[in-house]
Amino acid sequence: MRAAHSDKPTAAAMHADEEGESATMSHPTPTVTEGDSSKRQLVTFRIQTRRYAVPIESVAEMTQLHDCHRLAGSPSWILGMMQLRSSVLPVLDLRTRLGLTPLGDAIDGLAGELSRRRRERTEMTHAIARAWEGPNGIDGENGMFQCSLDEERAEKIAASSDWRTIATRIEPEERRLLAAIDGARAARASGGREAGLRAIRRVLDGELRDYSETVDRALRELRSWERPMIIVLSGRDERLGIAVDHIDAVTDVRADEIAARPLQALEHVESSADLIVASVVRQSDPSELIQILDVERVFLSAGVTPPTAASEQTAASA
């Protein structure tokens, strides 16, 4: 997607096109009007379903990750180096920096779970049909439904933020399939072997096919998430890319909506270096709390001189 031209930057205007061309923001200035000086503009983005932000004045551009080269000996949260036009950009994996599973690993795990569930249900349905088609019309139901997802595992998967976004589409089709199989069992119990066979064949051609197609669409969607977006932050002498799952928008927030992050006392202990959240934006929906990153600490996490520190060093040497 090429950059759009407007007076007010938007996330769409700063996204890269499909060939990797990125849109540039030349040190953008927040847009304010008379009497509106208390507003700040933030670039908001997501890691899993959690929302984060950085001040728009820290953002140089946005692009998509491509051809990232691992930097030998770097910390686990450094994805590596990416060439962006004539410069080489260090890239920090914000997921890993926040202690979460790397995006590729999370997608592989979810794709594997989806494929396993589909395989179990397909095998279950075909096994019932084969058993009922046998010369003796063997019942074939014993143990068949034990391959369905047990409640404890279902709850664990549903608790995964990554999973929730597609679970709402997969689970109804899955329930419909299992209900149709139960209906075939009931048809066989009341109408005999032939009635059961007709019912289970309808399941094979209908509900099972629909379920499988839904899983296929979900797998394609999952794979489309594999390449993270990169927000390029401006330092005084260097720039740093941070890899995020999804970029939302440029958001205006009022000063009175921003609060200092909790646990300020941790600034005085050794672990304070791990805190990269500077403040939070209160929202009417508690699930939509936005965490504003401390850009200086993000830079320090990647071993890059942060903007203000660079300014202080320059002033000191003058």
Side-chain angles (χ1 to χ4, degrees):
M1 183 187 305
R2 296 190 181 277
H5 296 285
S6 65
D7 294 333
K8 179 179 177 181
T10 64
M14 301 190 304
H15 271 67
D17 67 16
E18 293 179 356
E19 279 68 44
E21 179 182 339
S22 57
T24 302
M25 297 173 58
S26 301
H27 305 292
T29 302
T31 303
V32 296
T33 57
E34 186 69 28
D36 199 25
S37 59
S38 62
K39 282 191 174 182
R40 291 183 61 189
Q41 285 191 312
L42 305 173
V43 176
T44 60
F45 56 90
R46 292 180 186 268
I47 303 289
Q48 292 188 344
T49 59
R50 299 301 180 190
R51 295 186 72 189
Y52 297 88
V54 288
I56 195 172
E57 58 268 24
S58 299
V59 177
E61 58 185 289
M62 299 181 187
T63 187
Q64 198 168 40
L65 181 69
H66 58 87
D67 300 326
C68 194
H69 302 268
R70 182 72 184 168
L71 186 62
S74 60
S76 60
W77 54 83
I78 302 298
L79 275 179
M81 304 170 291
M82 184 179 83
Q83 185 167 325
L84 188 60
R85 293 181 294 279
S86 60
S87 63
V88 176
L89 183 75
V91 179
L92 180 146
D93 183 356
L94 195 55
R95 260 182 168 262
T96 306
R97 181 64 181 81
L98 294 170
L100 301 171
T101 304
L103 183 59
D105 293 348
I107 288 174
D108 286 345
L110 290 169
E113 177 63 22
L114 278 178
S115 298
R116 182 196 63 77
R117 290 172 71 157
R118 176 170 59 182
R119 184 174 60 253
E120 287 181 351
R121 280 135 185 80
T122 301
E123 291 174 353
M124 171 179 66
T125 311
H126 281 282
I128 292 173
R130 285 194 302 271
W132 291 357
E133 288 170 350
N136 300 318
I138 299 172
D139 192 322
E141 293 176 15
N142 293 334
M144 287 296 174
F145 288 82
Q146 304 212 357
C147 62
S148 61
L149 199 65
D150 62 82
E151 290 300 320
E152 181 180 352
R153 188 163 50 167
E155 288 178 7
K156 181 178 179 181
I157 292 169
S160 164
S161 297
D162 293 300
W163 173 260
R164 286 194 205 110
T165 57
I166 59 174
T168 53
R169 295 197 299 278
I170 296 291
E171 289 171 359
E173 291 294 336
E174 195 169 57
R175 287 194 298 269
R176 196 162 74 92
L177 171 62
L178 296 178
I181 294 173
D182 278 337
R185 294 171 62 201
R188 186 173 186 274
S190 62
R193 177 186 175 191
E194 289 304 318
L197 277 173
R198 286 193 299 271
I200 200 66
R201 287 167 184 161
R202 285 195 297 271
V203 173
L204 290 170
D205 293 335
E207 288 82 4
L208 181 60
R209 181 194 58 204
D210 293 344
Y211 170 66
S212 184
E213 289 175 353
T214 302
V215 173
D216 278 338
R217 287 193 295 271
L219 288 171
R220 287 194 296 271
E221 181 179 343
L222 274 177
R223 291 306 177 190
S224 72
W225 300 349
E226 281 189 294
R227 203 158 67 154
M229 293 300 299
I230 303 296
I231 299 176
V232 181
L233 301 176
S234 293
R236 183 176 179 85
D237 302 313
E238 297 183 77
R239 298 195 301 173
L240 171 67
I242 58 172
V244 304
D245 293 1
H246 177 75
I247 297 171
D248 284 340
V250 174
T251 304
D252 290 325
V253 297
R254 299 192 314 272
D256 59 6
E257 294 176 312
I258 300 174
R261 64 160 173 78
L263 305 176
Q264 290 293 324
L266 287 178
E267 294 291 349
H268 306 293
V269 299
E270 186 176 346
S271 62
S272 66
D274 293 329
L275 294 171
I276 61 171
V277 174
S279 51
V280 295
V281 181
R282 295 182 293 263
Q283 302 281 279
S284 56
D285 180 355
S287 67
E288 286 294 299
L289 184 77
I290 301 173
Q291 301 182 55
I292 305 175
L293 299 185
D294 185 322
V295 174
E296 284 191 40
R297 291 193 174 189
V298 172
F299 268 77
L300 289 171
S301 292
V304 178
T305 304
T308 57
S311 302
E312 290 167 0
Q313 290 174 7
T314 302
S317 61

